[in-house]
Amino acid sequence: MSRPTRILGSLAVLLVTGAALAQSPLPPGALPPAPPRASPEKASEVPDPEKLQRSAQALGVMRGVLSEVQVKLTEARSTKDMVKVNCVNEKLTQTKGLLRISEQADVALQEAVARRDSTSSEHEYTKVMIARQKVSQLSAETEECIGQLQFRTDENLSVEVEEPRDLPGGDPTQPRPPNDVIARPPPASPTL
């Protein structure tokens, strides 16, 4: 088995493992991940026309996730919840980067398929599929972004604090007055 084949096989296993670990219930309105296929998982076993088709579908899914994350960022900004804005903005930045890499890989995949360069086409296809998996994971993480507004409580809430009686040195909120400072008089005669 050659080194590129082992690497691609390892990437395929990593992709399948990541897909299994990242599966969680989808929130309403979220795009579902691509359904599992009965076709081969290794990039080398996927025919070139299907690579192009799957790559185009993956780009469509990633663009949909990007739109959803942008909507969530707008919602977070409208509530002026900076914690949530920062969280969603981080996911948006990562999604944009992965989408950009995927678009470049898709173009390179099309060129590799046109040249009938199987090594390059497998590599570019694998990059798109891994990026799609990461974008799906970022979409789920975006749903988990919780801001300050989630932690707000009733404004009429009162808190009672019991002060322990055995505090060392008394109450730290009421310090003792400082000791009197004694000033020394200057020396009567200078020393030579």
Side-chain angles (χ1 to χ4, degrees):
M1 184 183 265
S2 68
R3 180 171 166 81
T5 305
R6 270 189 274 139
I7 291 172
L8 289 175
S10 298
L11 286 173
V13 169
L14 180 63
L15 181 64
V16 170
T17 304
L21 293 175
Q23 290 180 359
S24 63
L26 290 176
L31 291 176
R37 298 179 185 244
S39 61
E41 296 295 327
K42 291 183 179 180
S44 60
E45 297 175 4
V46 177
D48 286 345
E50 192 170 341
K51 284 179 190 169
L52 294 172
Q53 179 186 10
R54 287 185 186 182
S55 178
Q57 288 174 344
L59 286 173
V61 168
M62 287 187 271
R63 288 182 182 119
V65 168
L66 179 67
S67 297
E68 287 180 5
V69 174
Q70 287 173 331
V71 167
K72 294 203 180 304
L73 181 62
T74 303
E75 291 172 1
R77 284 184 177 153
S78 69
T79 61
K80 298 180 180 169
D81 188 348
M82 293 312 294
V83 173
K84 191 169 186 176
V85 167
N86 290 338
C87 179
V88 174
N89 196 31
E90 178 185 340
K91 306 305 178 200
L92 178 66
T93 302
Q94 292 175 15
T95 302
K96 283 181 180 179
L98 288 168
L99 181 59
R100 187 177 329 112
I101 290 168
S102 298
E103 288 171 340
Q104 293 169 352
D106 183 60
V107 170
L109 171 64
Q110 292 173 17
E111 292 171 355
V113 167
R115 288 190 319 262
R116 297 181 191 264
D117 182 358
S118 62
T119 305
S120 294
S121 68
E122 291 168 9
H123 178 71
E124 300 302 330
Y125 172 76
T126 303
K127 285 192 326 190
V128 172
M129 293 298 112
I130 290 173
R132 183 205 178 283
Q133 184 63 37
K134 288 183 179 182
V135 166
S136 295
Q137 182 179 357
L138 287 170
S139 174
E141 290 174 8
T142 302
E143 295 294 330
E144 296 172 3
C145 285
I146 298 175
Q148 290 175 338
L149 297 178
Q150 297 294 328
F151 296 109
R152 285 198 181 163
T153 57
D154 185 17
E155 293 156 1
N156 298 326
L157 180 70
S158 64
V159 178
E160 292 183 26
V161 178
E162 288 185 27
E163 181 180 327
R165 296 172 198 247
D166 57 344
L167 282 178
D171 186 3
T173 61
Q174 297 179 2
R176 295 182 199 166
N179 295 335
D180 292 334
V181 178
I182 301 174
R184 289 186 174 183
S189 63
T191 57
L192 297 174

